[in-house]
């Protein structure tokens, strides 16, 4: 059982779609609550059993998504997880995150106002989803940096596999060690 298959995280194009959906969800909330919410930072660096997380560091809010859970439950995550995390952000902006319960009345009312049932699930079947952080390898193409799993890295080094960037289609090359 040591040879577990890890599913591929969401693609670059899916990430763009998730960022766009999150941004339009923030704008939609602005219309509903009749106030301006700034767009926030979105990262895909969450792993383990949570699909998303709203976090404030210093004064900077950000949403972290789990790229494996999004890959496995794409449509569902695009609606439920995105609205779930944006609702945390909206609650933070209006009431202040420290003054209310995480999934309390304010959050539930916000979810309903956004048209999504306020269900806290977190009961995903995690098969194929890494539950600890795997070592990542830095690669780059002609347009950006890529983090590769050790599985892909090994395929390149040991088997001469070639992976191409989905945006610019140039082959990925390993960055010099940092
Ligand atoms: Zn939550
Ligand atoms: Zn590229």
């Amino acid at each position: 059982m040591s040879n577990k298959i890890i599913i591929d995280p969401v693609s670059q194009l899916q990430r763009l779609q998730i960022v766009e959906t999150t941004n339009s969800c923030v704008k939609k909330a602005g219309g509903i609550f009749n106030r301006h919410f700034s767009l926030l930072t979105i990262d895909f660096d969450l792993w383990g059993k949570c699909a998303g997380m709203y976090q404030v560091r210093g004064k900077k809010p950000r949403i972290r998504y789990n790229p494996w859970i999004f890959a496995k439950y794409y449509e569902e995550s695009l609606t439920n997880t995105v609205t779930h995390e944006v609702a945390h952000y909206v609650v933070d902006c209006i009431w202040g995150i420290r003054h209310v319960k995480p999934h309390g009345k304010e959050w539930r009312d916000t979810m309903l106002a956004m048209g999504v049932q306020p269900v806290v699930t977190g009961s995903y079947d995690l098969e194929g989803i890494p539950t600890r952080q795997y070592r990542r390898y830095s690669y780059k193409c002609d347009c950006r940096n890529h983090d590769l799993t050790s599985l892909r890295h090994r395929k390149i080094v040991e088997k001469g596999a070639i992976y191409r960037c989905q945006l610019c289609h140039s082959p990925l090359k390993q960055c010099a060690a940092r």
Side-chain angles (χ1 to χ4, degrees):
M1 290 302 286
S2 62
N3 204 10
K4 272 201 282 182
I5 307 281
I6 299 296
I7 61 167
D8 283 336
V10 280
S11 68
Q12 208 62 44
L13 284 174
Q14 284 175 317
R15 286 176 195 223
L16 291 176
Q17 194 178 13
I18 296 162
V19 167
E20 244 167 53
T21 304
T22 305
N23 288 347
S24 61
C25 193
V26 169
K27 283 177 201 150
K28 182 179 161 189
I32 291 168
F33 291 93
N34 198 24
R35 59 186 277 176
H36 174 75
F37 301 111
S38 309
L39 297 182
L40 32 56
T41 304
I42 296 158
D43 291 318
F44 293 88
D45 63 348
L46 197 60
W47 49 277
K49 59 184 170 42
C50 294
M53 181 185 283
Y54 172 72
Q55 212 176 41
V56 184
R57 270 221 197 112
K59 286 216 180 302
K60 222 173 162 296
R62 70 164 173 154
I63 288 176
R64 302 171 65 193
Y65 290 132
N66 184 321
W68 293 275
I69 292 183
F70 265 77
K72 191 167 176 184
Y73 303 98
Y74 192 64
E75 295 301 326
E76 185 186 334
S77 301
L78 212 52
T79 305
N80 295 333
T81 304
V82 167
T83 311
H84 183 127
E85 302 312 327
V86 169
H88 279 308
Y89 170 53
V90 167
V91 167
D92 189 21
C93 292
I94 298 178
W95 291 278
I97 203 116
R98 286 189 184 82
H99 302 122
V100 296
K101 284 188 183 150
H103 301 115
K105 185 181 187 313
E106 296 80 5
W107 178 82
R108 289 198 306 271
D109 287 349
T110 303
M111 287 290 279
L112 288 173
M114 311 262 297
V116 176
Q117 282 302 309
V119 183
V120 183
T121 45
S123 55
Y124 294 105
D125 169 10
L126 294 175
E127 177 150 7
I129 291 168
T131 47
R132 65 181 174 84
Q133 195 146 32
Y134 282 74
R135 178 150 181 217
R136 313 291 290 184
Y137 292 83
S138 299
Y139 276 75
K140 61 183 176 187
C141 62
D142 289 344
C143 74
R144 63 183 64 230
N145 294 322
H146 298 258
D147 274 348
L148 262 61
T149 60
S150 56
L151 194 73
R152 288 196 163 195
H153 170 71
R154 279 211 313 274
K155 277 193 187 163
I156 292 169
V157 173
E158 292 168 13
K159 295 186 178 152
I162 293 170
Y163 290 103
R164 287 176 189 279
C165 170
Q166 295 191 349
L167 291 181
C168 73
H169 304 294
S170 71
L172 307 188
K173 295 191 195 99
Q174 191 173 16
C175 300
R178 283 182 295 196

